Amino acid sequence: MDKCIFCKIASNEIKSYKVYEDDYVIAFLDLNPASRGHTLVVTKEHFDNFTTVPKDILNHTMNVAQLIAQAAITKLGAKGINIITNVGKAAGQSIMHFHVHVIPRYEDDGLSLTFPPKQIEDKELLLISDSIKSGM
Ligand code: AMP
Ligand code: ZN
């Protein structure tokens, strides 16, 4: 099977602006950054998304994302950070290789990540919470 683009970056077949690398993950700048310092933390092994990555590698990926977030605050002057991982096309995932976005935020950076509120009844909230609980 053909390697995906993040597998190729992880194996250095494709160039990236790398900020971190170890045996399990690589982190590099997003080529179409949402903000200054927008970085992707990517597993070296191919997993489709957040829901299928083994827990120990997931934990490690989040630890590295935390280090990058801290560096963006101390070295780039970020005033906040968004941590995002998209799961599936419906959620906007375009590269089907698990990755975490570390998006530094600045005052008045013009970026808007809002969740428009929806009306929902108590009965429906109860049904939904029961469904999620039964799937865990
Ligand atoms: P997602 O939409 O969550 O799958 O995010 C994929 C991200 O990968 C997008 O923000 C793209 O800008 C970024 N991207 C795609 N190709 C490259 C590349 N070769 N190097 C760095 N970032 C990339
Ligand atoms: Zn891959």
Side-chain angles (χ1 to χ4, degrees), residues 7-100:
C7 282
K8 287 181 183 165
I9 289 175
S11 60
N12 289 309
E13 288 167 61
I14 290 182
K15 175 188 151 170
S16 68
Y17 292 88
K18 214 183 292 181
V19 303
Y20 178 86
E21 182 172 16
D22 64 28
D23 288 347
Y24 303 98
V25 298
I26 182 169
F28 50 88
L29 297 183
D30 194 302
L31 274 189
N32 307 292
S35 70
R36 188 164 181 268
H38 181 172
T39 302
L40 303 173
V41 190
V42 175
T43 52
K44 285 207 164 165
E45 194 176 337
H46 183 101
F47 302 102
D48 288 345
N49 62 53
F50 174 81
T51 65
T52 54
V53 63
K55 286 187 174 36
D56 53 345
I57 299 181
L58 176 63
N59 289 342
H60 182 64
T61 306
M62 293 311 287
N63 284 331
V64 173
Q66 186 190 49
L67 290 174
I68 292 164
Q70 289 165 343
I73 290 166
T74 58
K75 300 294 182 180
L76 297 180
K79 298 287 183 262
I81 308 282
N82 289 113
I83 300 293
I84 297 174
T85 184
N86 296 325
V87 177
K89 224 167 115 184
Q93 186 179 4
S94 60
I95 305 221
M96 300 301 166
H97 176 135
F98 171 59
H99 56 281
V100 172

Side-chain angles (χ1 to χ4, degrees), residues 115-135:
F115 305 101
K118 292 191 172 59
Q119 293 294 320
I120 190 158
E121 291 178 5
D122 280 352
K123 205 172 73 180
E124 184 66 0
L125 286 167
L126 196 58
L127 273 175
I128 295 167
S129 65
D130 282 346
S131 296
I132 293 174
K133 277 188 275 184
S134 70

